[in-house]
Each structure stands twice: as C-alpha cells, then as structure tokens.
Amino acid sequence: MRRPVLAILLCAAPLLMAAPAPASQRLVERQAVREALRLEARSAATGGVAALPLPAAGAPAASVASAGELELAEIAGPVRVLIGVRSHADLPGVAGALEQLGARPEAFEPLGVLAARVPSGAALAAALGGDPRVAYIERDSELQLAADPFDTVDPLIGLKYTWYYDEVRAGEALAAAGGGSRRSIAVMDTGLDVGHPEFAGRITRTFDTATRGSDVTDAVGHGTFVTGLIAAIDGNGIGIKGVAGNTRVLAVRGSSDGGFMVTDLLRGIDFAIRRGADIINLSLAGGENPETPTIARALAVAFLNDVLPVAASGNKGDTASNPLQYPAAVLGGRRGKPGIGLSVAATKPDGQPAAFSTHNKFVSLAAPGAGFECTSGVLSTLPAAGGTIWDVVEPGTCPSRLFTDGGARFGYGEGTSFAAPIVSGIAALTWQVEPRLASEQVAEVLLLSARQTLGTGWNRYTGWGIVDGQKAAELARAYDVVPPRVKGRASRSGQLVTVRLRPTKDRTERGRELAGHVTYGLLVSRDGGRDFDVLVSRRKRPFRTAVALRGTRANVFVATACDGNGNCGVKRLGRFRRG
C-alpha cells in the first residue's frame, strides 16, 4: 500500500554486475549460457537447479578491502553477514573458517553465498579480509515492504469493483488458457490468510522464511491483498476475481511485520525455485542503495532456472527526486529492451500513469494500481483478523474503504505493489497458452502486446503500455519457440581442440512467425560443466576455431545457435582433459 510508513529499503546496487555473465554481455549470450547450464544440470546430482557461474578456483582476488569489510572491522559485537565466494569450490573452506569463529553458516549453494551470524564483526574482518576465496562481504540488511457478489458497479466511483480485471482483458486471456495455468506463482510477501474463501484449493505450498515452517499467517495484510489479485476465485458467490483464474500460488512469508532481512529473501527465492515456481512476484521497491550483490546473485539464479521475476517499479514518482527503485530497475531492460524480468508501473482507470508511480528508463510496462482518488484503487482480499495496515490508518495517509461479503473481508488499495501481481497473473496465462516459452520470452510477449495509453512506443511512465491478456495470448500462439539445430563437431590434436560449426537455418512451425537472424557461438567450461565462459558469440556466420585445453578438470565444449527470439539450440561437442 502506498504509505510513507512502509517506504522500502530494498537496497540493491547495480545488480547486473553480479549476474551470470559480464555486464557487457547481451541477453542472447545469457540465454546461450543458461541453456548450456541447464543441459549440464539435468545430468548432474544438483537437484536440477542451475548454479550461478562463478570464476574458477584460484582466480586472482582484489587486494583492496571492500567497504563491507571496513565497516565490519569496526563492529566488536555480533553481526549478521552474507559472504559471496569467488568459486563454488570455495564454499566448504569459507564455511569452515566461519565455524572456527563460532558461527553456524547457512549455504545457498546455487548462489555461492554463505549467511551467518558471527560473534564479532572485527574478528570476521580479520579472519577473512583479503581472503582470495572471498568475493565480497556485506551485512545482512533489513528490508521492508513497498506497500502502500462485487462484479457490479461501485456507486461511489461509477466503476465496477473489479474494473482492473476488465482493463487488462483477463477474461479473454483465461478463455484462451482454459481457465487458468499450470504455471505457478510464488508470492514473496507478508504471508496469506489461507482460510480466506477466495483461495480454496489454489494454494499449493506455504513457507515461512524465518521458521522454515508452513505457518504464513498474515498480520500485515499486504500478502493477502496481492494474492487476491492473482488467484481469487470467480463464481463462488463471494467477493472478487483474480486475473489468473485457476492458477496455483506458493505463499512465501518473508516478514510478519513488514520488515525482513536479505537472508529471508534468499530463502524465499531458493524455496520458490526448488519447489517449481515459474514466476516470483516481488511487490517490493526501494533505493537506499548500499551494495547488495547477494540479491543480484539470487535474481540471476532465478533467470538461469527459467523463472520470471516481476517487481513493482516503486511509489516514489511524486517525489522531487523520483529515485530508482530496486529490484525493478535491474529486472527491466533499458528503454524497453528485453531484461531478465519485468518492472511494473501503476495506472488509473483512464489508462494514465498514477502520480506516485516511479518512472524511469527501466519501466517495462504497466497495470492498474490506482484510482481517481486515494480512497479507491483496486479491490482485493484482506485477512479475516483486524489490525492490518488497512485497519490502522497512519497520520497523513489515506484511509481505504473496507467491505465484508459472506464473512470475508475486502478493501481498496493503491500502489505499484498491486500492479505487479496483475502482470504476474497475465504472465502465467500467457505461459499456459504456449508452455515452450522461456521466462524472458514470456516477458517479451507481454511487452510486444501491451496497449499503450500514453503516446506511441515506449515511455518511462507506462513502459510499452498496459498489459493486455487477450493480445498476449494471441501473440503467444504465433511466437516462434523452436531453436535452430546446431551442426558442428570438435576434434583434438595434442593440447588443442578444433571446433567447426556448419551453417544452419532457423526453423519454426506452420502458422507461426519465423524469428530468423541466426547467430553462432561457442561456450567452454574448464571445470567439468559447472561454469561456462563465452568464447565466441553473436557470429553471423559459422566459424572454425582452435582452443587450448586448460586446468586439471574436463573441458566441456558446447556450440550454440540462437535465433532472433532467443531460442538457443545447444550441442555438447565433447569433454576433453589435458594430458
């Protein structure tokens, strides 16, 4: 909800600097690396989760102490920290060093991150400062929320209570998807009133990041409100209807009071990925901006595992500075270009941007999230118990109108927090229409099919426009999802491997577009297939190249051919060892 007391502290510096490839790499290179990693993950004992590529063990380390280390050196008492290692192979050793300091480290293996509460920040800095195994040390900072029969007309505003549903043409999208989606959405928030009648049969799992248990009681109300916009049941004679229909939700409680630590976010994202979530809704935004490379790693791992993060753009648009808000500012591509997720702005019933909606060059698209006045907005579900942020009105904030139907509670709310789940729901339906889409392709379909209400083309207020479920479903049916076949081989002579790629054509299916624009590439792993480096990329013609074998482990060579939609065919050319 858009309230000053809930200003976000989700502080993320340039997240892409810790993404799965150098910041200079384009999305097509990330797509090729992802497909190679997923190919290896399926044949390895990793639970099928692709890990973030990190430099090989023994890579040179920076000799200058980081800002995090310098800060920790001044703390004599206990402190919670996050430590990113330089190589996955360094995790056990660094964990052992933490144990020697009296800590009990928690490992997030796909990220290459250890979380721990150490007895002394100064002792930690002394023990691990300058350690070549450590990429960075940061404090585990606190995060907060970015919040701020109804199928009839609300007489006070002259609009349907569920006007947002019609605005994004959710009904048409549901018809195209068969009433819902087999894709699931993880809602990372304040929990859920699982007993609310609008969610009967639609919650597959619940997880509390603090206790690792299943109790996700929502005392704040924000998570229940967000979930209602996605999954509230239509036709049950009660309340509202969610845009995603019969789509399953994983309710993840990262906070019981509106504030949670980065570690809670990591646990929630890790839980969502491992339990098969396809979309992660992050109705969070902030920009206080100490560096948080750990969040960057978590979002990068989500991308590598074909999970689509959807984030609120933020509620600072009506401030003088209109600051960037994270993680949305790094999920959306620059000026409408493809990114690894979506940044969602909020619009009013007339399609114009809400004054509070944060606007910048990273906004992807928009969805309903505001009314013509602050007492309205979008209507959704509230917990049965009182005491939520809808019930306790802070000074200087706008009270919401509350309703009761069949013993269940509902209320109006405003904020980009509530625009994001509408996009998440339409994304799930789009994925159901064409299940072969990759996560970033789902995002591209939503961008290309959005309905612009502010001029033409892309703009910083509404991105490519308001998400349009009907158009998204139509485009998904025509979208080219077939990768080119890779033709090539590798041969060895001494310590050299010669790779030869042959020409290939893009392909598609009858009645669909042909993306075309095939480019060729070569990836190599020096550690048996866990991490990959891009040796050749975006070549418009086939090529021949010789590569020297390195290291003590198997060198894995993977050729790629990607079309203009980012469909990447991959072919393992062989495993070779020196000697």
Side-chain angles (χ1 to χ4, degrees):
M1 206 167 203
R2 194 166 58 94
R3 302 185 182 206
V5 71
L6 293 176
I8 295 316
L9 301 177
L10 206 160
C11 28
L15 298 191
L16 290 184
M17 73 181 190
S24 61
Q25 282 190 6
R26 297 181 183 179
L27 185 59
V28 67
E29 292 170 337
R30 298 180 188 276
Q31 292 165 328
V33 170
R34 179 184 62 193
E35 293 310 308
L37 286 168
R38 294 175 70 197
L39 177 68
E40 295 298 321
R42 286 193 291 268
S43 61
T46 61
V49 176
L52 182 72
L54 296 175
S63 59
V64 179
S66 68
E69 293 173 17
L70 294 174
E71 178 187 2
L72 290 168
E74 302 296 323
I75 302 175
V79 62
R80 295 175 64 170
V81 296
L82 297 161
I83 301 172
V85 297
R86 292 188 178 276
S87 164
H88 289 285
D90 293 324
L91 272 174
V94 176
L98 288 170
E99 291 172 352
Q100 290 179 6
L101 293 173
R104 298 176 61 184
E106 178 180 1
F108 295 91
E109 295 181 0
L111 281 64
V113 169
L114 293 159
R117 183 180 185 275
V118 296
S120 166
L124 173 68
L128 292 180
D131 191 313
R133 300 171 298 180
V134 175
Y136 65 84
I137 304 175
E138 65 170 325
R139 293 189 68 172
D140 187 4
S141 55
E142 186 175 3
L143 304 138
Q144 295 178 347
L145 283 174
D148 271 339
F150 280 110
D151 207 19
T152 57
V153 173
D154 181 343
L156 290 185
I157 62 175
L159 295 170
K160 286 178 63 176
Y161 290 100
T162 54
W163 65 269
Y164 60 87
Y165 183 96
D166 298 332
E167 180 75 357
V168 300
R169 299 209 277 186
E172 291 83 348
L174 279 164
S181 177
R182 294 180 181 175
R183 299 286 176 166
S184 59
I185 303 172
V187 177
M188 179 81 61
D189 222 288
T190 61
L192 181 69
D193 180 359
V194 295
H196 200 295
E198 290 281 46
F199 303 131
R202 292 193 171 171
I203 310 303
T204 56
R205 293 180 182 272
T206 59
F207 178 68
D208 178 58
T209 60
T211 65
R212 276 76 149 193
S214 59
D215 182 5
V216 293
T217 301
D218 185 11
V220 179
H222 192 270
T224 300
F225 194 99
V226 165
T227 305
L229 293 168
I230 296 171
I233 298 172
D234 183 20
N236 62 350
I238 299 173
I240 64 164
K241 50 188 178 184
V243 298
N246 189 22
T247 295
R248 300 298 186 258
V249 171
L250 289 75
V252 180
R253 184 172 71 177
S255 167
S256 58
D257 60 3
F260 53 95
M261 307 302 291
V262 174
T263 302
D264 293 304
L265 186 64
L266 301 186
R267 290 173 186 155
I269 292 176
D270 183 71
F271 174 85
I273 294 172
R274 292 185 183 278
R275 295 303 185 275
D278 301 286
I279 299 165
I280 300 178
N281 189 87
L282 299 166
S283 288
L284 305 163
E288 303 305 323
N289 210 31
E291 291 188 4
T292 55
T294 300
I295 294 178
R297 289 188 174 193
L299 293 172
V301 168
F303 170 80
L304 288 174
N305 286 278
D306 205 24
V307 177
L308 176 65
V310 178
S313 72
N315 300 331
K316 300 287 187 178
D318 52 2
T319 64
S321 59
N322 179 42
L324 289 177
Q325 302 282 277
Y326 298 93
V330 292
L331 291 177
R334 289 177 179 266
R335 301 187 182 279
K337 292 182 179 179
I340 63 172
L342 292 169
S343 168
V344 183
T347 52
K348 299 182 295 185
D350 61 359
Q352 296 302 295
F356 61 78
S357 185
T358 298
H359 45 278
N360 52 57
K361 59 187 175 183
F362 300 108
V363 171
S364 307
L365 75 174
F372 289 126
E373 55 184 30
C374 65
T375 55
S376 58
V378 294
L379 186 70
S380 192
T381 46
L382 293 176
T388 70
I389 58 176
W390 275 260
D391 300 290
V392 181
V393 180
E394 299 290 336
T397 62
C398 187
S400 174
R401 293 169 55 210
L402 304 180
F403 306 86
T404 301
D405 184 23
R409 298 207 313 149
F410 304 84
Y412 277 116
E414 283 193 316
T416 57
S417 284
F418 310 139
I422 292 175
V423 170
S424 292
I426 297 299
L429 298 179
T430 303
W431 225 335
Q432 176 65 20
V433 171
E434 179 43 82
R436 292 173 294 176
L437 291 168
S439 61
E440 75 284 353
Q441 292 175 331
V442 174
E444 184 179 37
V445 167
L446 297 188
L447 299 184
L448 294 175
S449 60
R451 174 174 55 89
Q452 185 57 271
T453 57
L454 197 64
T456 58
W458 176 91
N459 67 72
R460 62 178 50 235
Y461 294 91
T462 60
W464 285 105
I466 297 173
V467 66
D468 187 324
Q470 179 177 335
K471 290 294 186 182
E474 292 172 356
L475 180 56
R477 288 197 179 101
Y479 197 89
D480 178 1
V481 293
V482 181
R485 288 192 178 95
V486 182
K487 300 178 182 179
R489 63 187 181 89
S491 58
R492 176 175 180 170
S493 177
Q495 300 303 311
L496 288 178
V497 173
T498 299
V499 174
R500 296 176 178 85
L501 266 64
R502 293 188 289 118
T504 189
K505 293 183 178 180
D506 193 20
R507 54 196 182 126
T508 189
E509 297 170 344
R510 179 175 296 179
R512 290 179 179 263
E513 66 173 5
L514 179 68
H517 305 289
V518 175
T519 58
Y520 302 86
L522 177 64
L523 310 175
V524 64
S525 170
R526 307 294 189 181
D527 59 3
R530 183 158 191 171
D531 302 336
F532 280 88
D533 295 323
V534 178
L535 292 189
V536 180
S537 176
R538 305 195 303 273
R539 290 281 184 88
K540 294 182 179 181
R541 298 178 182 276
F543 59 87
R544 175 181 182 276
T545 187
V547 183
L549 295 174
R550 296 178 185 172
T552 59
R553 302 185 64 184
N555 286 209
V556 180
F557 291 82
V558 174
T560 68
C562 302
D563 68 15
N565 279 357
N567 298 303
C568 291
V570 294
K571 180 180 181 181
R572 185 196 280 186
L573 302 179
R575 294 168 61 93
F576 305 89
R577 288 182 181 271
R578 292 182 63 189

